[in-house]
Amino acid sequence: MVVVWSNSAKAELRRAYEYITFDSLQNAQLVRDTLIDLTIDLAEHPEKYALDKFKKDNDGTWRAFEKYHYRVSYRILKDQIRIVRMRHTSKSPLTY
């Protein structure tokens, strides 16, 4: 299975990296690399994380995890893991 990031999730990861860089380049790289590594691992273990509690009528394919105060939501599809969105946990979640 392949992991694919949506454009909006990639943009949010880039914004987070740039924001953290103002304080520490090393921390920015750590957060970025860890989040990417966790999503790469989803190819082998797609159901590793809990169901996404913010997804209405979740059919079991929508899941999410949090790391470093960032929430990553993804969907398990037939041939790919789709990283749908990423947001800082201080932001209000989208209901979808």
Side-chain angles (χ1 to χ4, degrees):
M1 221 182 266
V2 64
V3 177
V4 178
W5 284 65
S6 70
N7 288 336
S8 61
K10 284 191 283 189
E12 186 60 32
L13 179 63
R14 191 176 314 109
R15 282 191 292 272
Y17 175 81
E18 290 169 356
Y19 179 78
I20 298 168
T21 299
F22 286 115
D23 289 329
S24 168
L25 176 59
Q26 182 178 0
N27 286 342
Q29 291 170 339
L30 175 67
V31 169
R32 179 199 60 201
D33 295 347
T34 301
L35 290 174
I36 290 171
D37 288 346
L38 289 172
T39 60
I40 289 170
D41 187 48
L42 293 173
E44 295 295 321
H45 308 285
E47 296 178 349
K48 180 177 183 176
Y49 298 105
L51 296 176
D52 189 341
K53 63 185 177 186
F54 296 112
K55 173 66 175 147
K56 290 183 180 180
D57 301 320
N58 190 339
D59 62 1
T61 62
W62 295 87
R63 296 184 175 259
F65 67 89
E66 293 180 12
K67 186 73 174 178
Y68 300 121
H69 300 287
Y70 287 94
R71 179 177 177 81
V72 177
S73 300
Y74 65 95
R75 186 167 189 203
I76 304 168
L77 300 171
K78 182 180 176 181
D79 58 347
Q80 69 176 237
I81 305 297
R82 181 84 176 159
I83 308 302
V84 180
R85 64 178 48 99
M86 188 186 111
R87 68 170 175 84
H88 195 274
T89 56
S90 67
K91 295 181 181 178
S92 297
L94 296 174
T95 302
Y96 60 102

